[in-house]
Structures are given as C-alpha cells and as structure tokens.
Amino acid sequence: PEHTALEYQDMAISYGELNSKANQLACLLLAQGIKPGNLVGLSMSKTPELIVSILAIWKAGVAYVPLDPSYPTDRLHYMLEDSQVSLILTHQASQTAASK
C-alpha cells in the first residue's frame, strides 16, 4: 500500500492513499443515491482526481460517461440528455470528497 501508484507533476499518491480516496468518493456517491444501473458523468482533465473518480465509480457499482470539458457545449448537452446521467463529477466535487 505504501508504494507509489500515481505520479503527477510534483505529487505522488500511494496505492493505499488511492484506495482510501476512491473509497471515500464511492461512499459519497452512494450517499447521493447512486444505484447500480445509474450513469455518472465525468468531466475532468487528465489528473490524479480522474483516476480516483473512475475507481470510485467502479467501487460504487456504476458506470461513467466521459464528458470532455473541451467538447462544444451543444455536444455536451446532447450527451447528457441522451445518457440521462444521474450525477456529474468535476474536479471540484472530487477534491471536496477526497479532502474529507
């Protein structure tokens, strides 16, 4: 658990930390009413928070819809409407959950 799982810029996250953060976010997702069969929108750039969020979504037993923040607004609206996501995770949401 103490070995490095992720390195990003000047930050390193161990496997234990990664698992703990993913568990915390998964619990938050479940507390928000996410259930198997739901889809969670994921709008993040490629950072460690993205990996934590993907693992948390899997741990919560649901799937995600990747929403690239660089997509045109019309495309994102269509994707959201078509997929009927239950919740959208952004960098701010994942950082708030990971800091608890």
Side-chain angles (χ1 to χ4, degrees):
E2 67 279 349
H3 289 135
T4 301
L6 292 172
E7 289 183 0
Y8 180 75
Q9 296 175 347
D10 60 345
M11 174 179 32
I13 299 175
S14 71
Y15 284 100
E17 288 177 283
L18 180 62
N19 188 51
S20 177
K21 289 179 181 191
N23 285 342
Q24 289 173 353
L25 185 53
C27 287
L28 181 62
L29 291 173
L30 295 171
Q32 292 295 315
I34 295 298
K35 296 179 180 141
N38 290 150
L39 294 174
V40 173
L42 194 51
S43 180
M44 296 183 176
S45 56
K46 296 175 183 174
T47 62
E49 289 85 13
L50 175 65
I51 303 302
V52 169
S53 298
I54 290 171
L55 291 173
I57 289 167
W58 290 341
K59 287 175 175 260
V62 296
Y64 67 92
V65 176
L67 302 167
D68 189 325
S70 68
Y71 284 170
T73 304
D74 290 344
R75 174 141 174 84
L76 290 171
H77 283 287
Y78 171 77
M79 292 172 69
L80 289 170
E81 186 177 308
D82 187 54
S83 63
Q84 298 181 355
V85 298
S86 301
L87 186 77
I88 299 173
L89 286 180
T90 64
H91 281 289
Q92 184 177 7
S94 68
Q95 290 170 347
T96 300
S99 66
K100 291 184 179 181

